[in-house]
Amino acid sequence: MEAKTKLGVALVGLGEYATGELIPALKLTQNCHLAGLVSGEEEKLRKWQQECGLKDDSLYTYDDFDRIADNPDIDIVYVVLPNAMHEEYCIRAARAGKHIISEKPLATSVEECYRIRDAVAEANVRFSMGYRLHFDPFNQEMMRLGQKEVFGPVQKMELLDSMDIGNNTPWRVDEERSGSGPLVNNGIYCIQAAIYITGKLPIAVEARFAPVTKPELFKEVEEGVIWTMFFEGGTTAHCETSYSKNQNFMRAEGTEGWFELNPAYEYGGLAGRTSSGAMDIEPVNQQARQMDDFARCIMENSETCVPLEMGIRDMRIIEAVYESARLGQRVALDLEEFAALPEF
């Protein structure tokens, strides 16, 4: 059989991110294309089928999802569902013999992450986290400046990622569907940034829950978390995430200068500057780059820079942050089995 020059991607879940970001991004990709849609809503399936020009046999419901194993046009399944559904659909996709991208967080607990890992290993398929910022040139510049110590060794970082959700996304405050609050949705970007700026793994965390200002909304998940990550050599990262304010900031201070992004974590419109001046960087479509890179890795039999193990690592840190906030004390981390990818 002749090798494919483009791999087919099926989107599992047709929420705002899939329809507003991933479908448009797939029109820009070079190594992959949209080949399937999965949704529990017939109306959504038909709407996006027509919009994207897909055949009837490219559409699946959650009930008949496993039929995807019989579709040779679909190579990659991209799980874009509420967090509590990630484990089930990653495992089902692996058993269907499809390569997988999962949106963050990988799952709602480390236990679930390990079950996904086992299923992926057993099926011998490839897996990538949907960590788009690893492919964004502004964030890549923060990685380079920090890891190459362009402004001297990084001493401290300030990482803030919050959004005021109002009442627009009820699943986010439903613990059964979301697993927990803004830490797993926004705060995970702060955890990622602290690691990829320094190229190091944290050795401890210290956290507290933010005060609840909207008790009618935050009955099941936290409204916000404020925490510090500690690294060997005394480097610290002050982090905050919340569902009741808007923050989008990343700053690192070295012994000889500083560098920052503001906004830092958005899909577009990022801006950066350093103590030497503004960053002159051409923006890209993050999602197109991310999906193209994974498709390339599959076709070239190479390793992704955002592997499943990174998702497990981040969930280990998240669980430690929650533990620290509950106990009111510092929690040590042992992450020796993981790598602080990527390196420059």
Side-chain angles (χ1 to χ4, degrees):
M1 183 184 295
E2 190 177 337
K4 291 184 177 181
T5 57
K6 278 192 170 192
L7 301 185
V9 178
L11 300 179
V12 186
L14 291 177
E16 197 173 299
Y17 188 66
T19 58
E21 301 299 332
L22 296 179
I23 288 177
L26 280 160
K27 295 175 181 177
L28 305 174
T29 48
Q30 305 298 311
N31 301 331
C32 53
H33 65 98
L34 181 63
L37 299 172
V38 184
S39 176
E41 299 181 37
E42 175 76 14
E43 189 179 334
K44 277 187 179 181
L45 282 172
R46 294 303 174 187
K47 174 189 173 183
W48 289 103
Q49 175 190 25
Q50 187 174 14
E51 175 86 16
C52 302
L54 294 174
K55 300 175 292 186
D56 285 346
D57 59 7
S58 300
L59 308 181
Y60 301 87
T61 67
Y62 298 136
D63 292 334
D64 68 8
F65 171 80
D66 301 314
R67 287 193 305 108
I68 211 164
D70 304 320
N71 190 336
D73 294 333
I74 294 173
D75 305 286
I76 299 168
V77 165
Y78 197 146
V79 178
V80 202
L81 294 164
N83 306 337
M85 299 174 74
H86 288 189
E87 179 194 9
E88 177 186 350
Y89 283 89
C90 285
I91 290 173
R92 289 172 72 177
R95 289 174 178 167
K98 304 302 181 182
H99 305 295
I100 304 157
I101 305 174
S102 174
E103 263 312 302
K104 47 76 186 162
L106 175 54
T108 61
S109 70
V110 171
E111 261 185 44
E112 290 182 1
C113 292
Y114 285 142
R115 288 196 287 268
I116 294 171
R117 181 193 63 182
D118 293 345
V120 167
E122 185 177 343
N124 194 30
V125 295
R126 290 181 173 271
F127 194 102
S128 169
M129 289 300 301
Y131 284 152
R132 58 187 168 81
L133 292 182
H134 283 261
F135 306 93
D136 169 73
F138 289 90
N139 280 267
Q140 288 175 336
E141 179 66 355
M142 294 294 286
M143 298 176 198
R144 185 188 73 84
L145 293 173
Q147 293 183 33
K148 291 292 188 184
E149 298 186 352
V150 173
F151 293 97
V154 173
Q155 295 184 310
K156 63 180 181 178
M157 293 166 279
E158 184 177 13
L159 308 164
L160 314 174
D161 191 5
S162 302
M163 64 180 184
D164 189 343
I165 62 169
N167 297 307
N168 295 327
T169 48
W171 74 266
R172 294 194 189 280
V173 294
D174 177 351
E175 187 176 17
E176 187 176 346
R177 288 190 286 170
S178 66
S180 47
L183 180 59
V184 298
N185 186 62
N186 295 70
I188 194 168
Y189 287 121
C190 302
I191 289 170
Q192 280 262 304
I195 295 170
Y196 62 58
I197 289 171
T198 60
K200 299 175 182 176
L201 297 172
I203 58 174
V205 295
E206 200 169 272
R208 61 184 172 88
F209 292 115
V212 177
T213 64
K214 301 176 181 178
E216 72 286 355
L217 190 60
F218 298 103
K219 298 173 184 175
E220 299 181 19
V221 304
E222 79 275 5
E223 182 171 341
V225 187
I226 299 162
W227 75 103
T228 302
M229 298 167 68
F230 300 90
F231 296 81
E232 283 186 358
T235 301
T236 58
H238 169 73
C239 308
E240 182 176 357
T241 188
S242 171
Y243 272 163
S244 59
K245 61 173 73 171
N246 290 307
Q247 297 173 305
N248 212 290
F249 184 67
M250 178 189 301
R251 180 182 173 95
E253 297 183 14
T255 54
E256 299 168 29
W258 53 266
F259 45 106
E260 68 180 30
L261 298 181
N262 185 17
Y265 315 98
E266 297 285 0
Y267 306 141
L270 275 59
R273 61 192 185 114
T274 76
S275 48
S276 297
M279 294 182 188
D280 183 16
I281 295 175
E282 195 70 30
V284 301
N285 184 291
Q286 300 164 353
Q287 291 86 354
R289 256 201 180 185
Q290 168 206 323
M291 291 185 283
D292 263 345
D293 187 80
F294 185 48
R296 179 191 59 78
C297 287
I298 293 167
M299 291 188 286
E300 295 180 359
N301 194 29
S302 57
E303 297 302 319
T304 174
C305 68
V306 286
L308 184 150
E309 289 75 19
M310 187 180 282
I312 299 174
R313 178 200 76 189
D314 293 344
M315 184 51 63
R316 286 263 287 267
I317 297 170
I318 284 168
E319 288 193 351
V321 171
Y322 280 131
E323 181 184 2
S324 175
R326 285 193 300 268
L327 298 176
Q329 63 188 46
R330 185 176 299 198
V331 171
L333 283 162
D334 180 5
L335 300 172
E336 285 187 6
E337 66 191 274
F338 301 106
L341 299 172
E343 294 180 355
F344 282 83

